[in-house]
Amino acid sequence: QVQLVESGGGLVQAGGSLRLSCAASGGGFSTYAMGWFRQASGKEREFVAAISRSGSPTRYADSVKGRFTISRDNAKNTVYLHMNSLKPEDTAVYYCAKKYSPSDPNVYIRDHSYEYWGQGTQVTVSS
């Protein structure tokens, strides 16, 4: 059974940092491209960052570029989102997702490209 479990969310002051983790089960982690999305209250889900199955390339939303870093450890079946210089507008539920991508090096920024989703972790940034 494919499962994605996010962790690492919480309450942080503006300017602070958090590291989100997403642990995957179900096998074949290195054949999946991964992505992070977020959904703020009352808003649509939006793309945050994506990483190819090998770890390069990566892609970021303009709103987080230079502040967030996505990475993965295929040996640990885990993808990370390092978030620095957090702003109140980063407050949202953050979701990780995976897309089966066994033979291409692509990253995917559209949520409908992804097949599996985690349950989400809340990030709240206070001003």
Side-chain angles (χ1 to χ4, degrees):
Q1 182 179 356
V2 176
Q3 191 174 18
L4 296 171
V5 180
E6 301 97 334
S7 61
L11 174 64
V12 63
Q13 288 188 331
S17 299
L18 283 174
R19 187 185 77 165
L20 304 184
S21 300
C22 173
S25 62
F29 182 71
S30 63
T31 62
Y32 287 85
M34 302 295 295
W36 285 97
F37 292 77
R38 67 187 182 187
Q39 187 167 20
S41 180
K43 296 187 177 181
E44 293 188 352
R45 185 167 57 192
E46 64 175 2
F47 167 74
V48 176
I51 189 167
S52 73
R53 61 184 177 90
S54 67
S56 179
T58 58
R59 185 89 175 264
Y60 298 92
D62 288 343
S63 59
V64 307
K65 202 172 294 182
R67 299 188 299 121
F68 290 12
T69 302
I70 188 171
S71 63
R72 66 189 294 161
D73 185 336
N74 285 348
K76 295 183 177 180
N77 294 344
T78 301
V79 63
Y80 304 98
L81 185 67
H82 306 258
M83 305 186 295
N84 297 320
S85 302
L86 282 161
K87 304 176 181 179
E89 51 263 44
D90 294 318
T91 295
V93 178
Y94 283 71
Y95 299 91
C96 71
K98 65 189 235 183
K99 171 185 168 47
Y100 188 54
S101 178
S103 58
D104 69 74
N106 297 333
V107 295
Y108 299 88
I109 66 171
R110 301 191 186 279
D111 58 0
H112 65 252
S113 297
Y114 289 86
E115 298 137 343
Y116 305 100
W117 292 80
Q119 82 290 346
T121 186
Q122 176 71 46
V123 172
T124 303
V125 185
S126 64
S127 57

